[in-house]
Amino acid sequence: MAHWFHRNPLKATAPVSFNFYGVASSPAANKICNNLRTDRVRLLEMFTDLTCNPDMMKNATDAYFSLLQGFISFLDGTTQENKMRFIQNFKWTDTLQGNVPSAQQDAIFELISMSYNVAIWYTKFASRMAGKENVTEAEAKDVHRSLKMAAGIFKHLKEAHIPRLITPAEKGRDLEARVIDAYIIQCQAEAQEVTIARAIELKHNATLVAALSYETANFYQKANQTLHTLDPECSNKWKKYFQLKMHFYMAYAYCYHGQTLLASDKCGEAIRSLQEAEKCYVRAEELCKEYRQTKGPGTTARPSEQLFFLKLGALVKNTLEKCQRENGFIYFHKVPEEAPQLELKASYGLAEPLAFELPPLSDQWSAEVYSTFDLTKGAKSDKAKAKPEEEVKPMKEPDLKPQKDTGCVVS
């Protein structure tokens, strides 16, 4: 299922030297600065390396974050602000706003921005795995787990770190609540898509598929509403993706609810439910075209070309025709004018964000090493404020070639 998910671009960043001449006054302090520089470069390279897997990503993030926390944590036995927190300036672009960076002289800003990219990487890894020709059960679990991991990272940043920033999040940019909430919801919804595909593949009962589809459609509706007041120029494409997925899964919900009604000998209601499914599916097709034509950041998904999308259209059509035949021969039920109210609650398969924790502080740090960083002996690195109009080169992300579509996430 290549090109099933919409993906916004990775954040880009300016190089950071961590050269604190005079300030780092011991070999151990200099070693930490050198390792911070090399570990940061290595982690940034991992984001665009197609051979990178979750284990490799975890090792790279743990190496960098365990050292970076020495600029944030309390290391001198007090609860005073870490003296190193504001020594280095960091510049990062935005996933929605192009190549003009935001800059803050704050190690927590660096921690948040780099973690944001780690979460984006997990979503892209999940998309890449889902696009393989024959996805195994183990790979489907990797997709599911990666999306929940991304949701957990976004949630952790929102709750634990973004509130600690001295400079508040700029409206409409990545660290603002509307944007980060949309990412959290998207990751949960996409993880549930994997569950739905598996439930269909294993022929679980129609009630479960309908309930999961309804819950997933509601997630996409919520994500769309979250972005409602955002600048249309940078959010319209993303919103169109949420809208088409919402209508697609509402079509699934009505289709499988109709099967449940037919099994309960409620043929008239089943027909009306299938008619609503058909209506939602047609709207999803229209939104796919609108989405492709809408300009905005990110890769363009092509869900209407996927067998998983096309199969639903055939299923709705065939099930509706079956219900109409049965009603003409057996039931003779009146078809209600109003579509059935879906009040479906899924008892199983709902995706919750995985709890995310930063690695422990590197053993390269100690109170003694911390004391050898002397801010009175040198000028702060990158002390000058970054010009807001200065551009940072975007990440060169690899192109993904579509493979043969087998029609489902799990094979």
Side-chain angles (χ1 to χ4, degrees):
M1 289 187 26
H3 305 297
W4 179 254
F5 301 120
H6 173 89
R7 291 291 175 260
N8 289 327
L10 287 161
K11 296 164 74 68
T13 182
V16 178
S17 67
F18 292 103
N19 287 331
F20 305 130
Y21 300 113
V23 173
S25 60
S26 72
N30 279 310
K31 181 183 178 185
I32 285 174
C33 294
N34 289 334
N35 288 344
L36 274 167
R37 180 172 60 254
T38 56
D39 287 346
R40 187 180 197 263
V41 170
R42 177 170 168 258
L43 178 52
L44 290 170
E45 289 172 348
M46 287 286 183
F47 292 139
T48 55
D49 184 352
L50 285 176
T51 66
C52 182
N53 60 41
D55 288 339
M56 294 165 66
M57 179 56 64
K58 185 177 188 322
N59 289 337
T61 54
D62 284 358
Y64 182 57
F65 289 155
S66 66
L67 285 173
L68 185 65
Q69 284 186 89
F71 284 22
I72 299 168
S73 303
F74 306 117
L75 293 176
D76 57 1
T78 73
T79 56
Q80 292 182 346
E81 195 70 72
N82 189 305
K83 66 186 178 185
M84 300 295 291
R85 176 177 169 182
F86 304 108
I87 195 172
Q88 175 71 57
N89 193 59
F90 298 96
K91 288 177 279 187
W92 283 89
T93 63
D94 199 77
T95 61
L96 297 179
Q97 303 280 359
N99 295 329
V100 179
S102 296
Q104 291 193 35
Q105 197 150 316
D106 189 343
I108 290 180
F109 178 68
E110 166 74 355
L111 177 69
I112 293 166
S113 301
M114 189 68 82
S115 298
Y116 216 99
N117 250 16
V118 174
I120 295 286
W121 178 86
Y122 272 105
T123 69
K124 289 176 181 281
F125 175 77
S127 183
R128 193 163 69 243
M129 293 295 289
K132 294 181 70 173
E133 185 170 334
N134 290 298
V135 181
T136 65
E137 183 176 335
E139 289 168 337
K141 287 180 179 178
D142 282 343
V143 173
H144 192 250
R145 180 177 176 78
S146 294
L147 291 165
K148 293 196 296 180
M149 177 66 77
I153 295 172
F154 286 127
K155 186 171 183 285
H156 179 75
L157 295 178
K158 179 189 174 185
E159 295 173 354
H161 299 294
I162 292 175
R164 295 182 64 189
L165 288 172
I166 304 298
T167 305
E170 300 172 61
K171 287 194 177 296
R173 297 186 76 95
D174 282 344
L175 307 192
E176 206 234 323
R178 291 173 297 177
V179 178
I180 202 164
D181 281 343
Y183 276 120
I184 294 169
I185 298 165
Q186 178 181 359
C187 291
Q188 289 181 268
E190 290 178 349
Q192 285 183 193
E193 290 192 59
V194 180
T195 307
I196 292 168
R198 180 168 176 80
I200 293 168
E201 192 82 7
L202 298 181
K203 295 182 170 54
H204 282 285
N205 69 66
T207 304
L208 175 62
V209 176
L212 280 172
S213 299
Y214 181 64
E215 300 266 20
T216 303
N218 284 340
F219 264 136
Y220 280 119
Q221 182 179 34
K222 185 179 177 182
N224 180 59
Q225 290 170 343
T226 299
L227 297 180
H228 180 66
T229 55
L230 219 60
D231 180 7
E233 186 176 338
C234 64
S235 65
N236 267 354
K237 192 175 187 69
W238 202 12
K239 286 190 290 187
K240 287 291 183 186
Y241 169 75
F242 291 150
Q243 291 163 18
L244 74 87
K245 284 292 186 79
M246 178 189 75
H247 281 87
F248 179 70
Y249 281 102
M250 282 303 291
Y252 252 118
Y254 276 115
C255 179
Y256 277 84
H257 185 58
Q259 293 181 21
T260 302
L261 291 169
L262 181 61
S264 302
D265 296 324
K266 297 178 181 178
C267 196
E269 293 177 46
I271 291 172
R272 187 64 189 87
S273 189
L274 267 299
Q275 288 173 341
E276 196 66 19
E278 192 172 50
K279 179 180 173 183
C280 290
Y281 184 79
V282 169
R283 181 59 185 142
E285 286 183 311
E286 293 170 351
L287 283 163
C288 284
K289 295 175 184 176
E290 292 176 22
Y291 166 76
R292 285 197 301 271
Q293 293 165 359
T294 302
K295 293 182 179 180
T299 58
T300 300
R302 297 196 287 271
S304 60
E305 299 175 11
Q306 311 300 317
L307 284 176
F308 190 64
F309 191 99
L310 299 170
K311 281 180 177 179
L312 176 60
L315 179 65
V316 170
K317 179 177 179 291
N318 294 337
T319 310
L320 176 57
E321 289 176 353
K322 176 185 176 182
C323 289
Q324 290 169 332
R325 285 196 307 271
E326 296 299 307
N327 204 42
F329 278 104
I330 302 171
Y331 295 104
F332 303 103
H333 289 170
K334 183 179 178 181
V335 177
E337 290 185 9
E338 295 292 326
Q341 291 294 314
L342 296 181
E343 297 179 356
L344 307 172
K345 285 286 182 184
S347 302
Y348 309 98
L350 295 177
E352 290 295 329
L354 289 177
F356 174 74
E357 291 183 358
L358 289 169
L361 184 69
S362 169
D363 58 12
Q364 293 179 49
W365 281 104
S366 67
E368 183 181 356
V369 173
Y370 178 72
S371 69
T372 64
F373 284 90
D374 188 350
L375 268 59
T376 66
K377 291 186 177 179
K380 292 183 178 180
S381 177
D382 294 344
K383 190 173 182 180
K385 296 291 183 183
K387 296 178 181 179
E389 70 274 8
E390 183 182 349
E391 287 202 344
V392 172
K393 292 181 181 179
M395 286 267 193
K396 291 184 179 179
E397 300 188 43
D399 292 327
L400 297 182
K401 296 179 180 179
Q403 300 184 35
K404 183 180 178 182
D405 186 10
T406 55
C408 201
V409 173
V410 189
S411 63

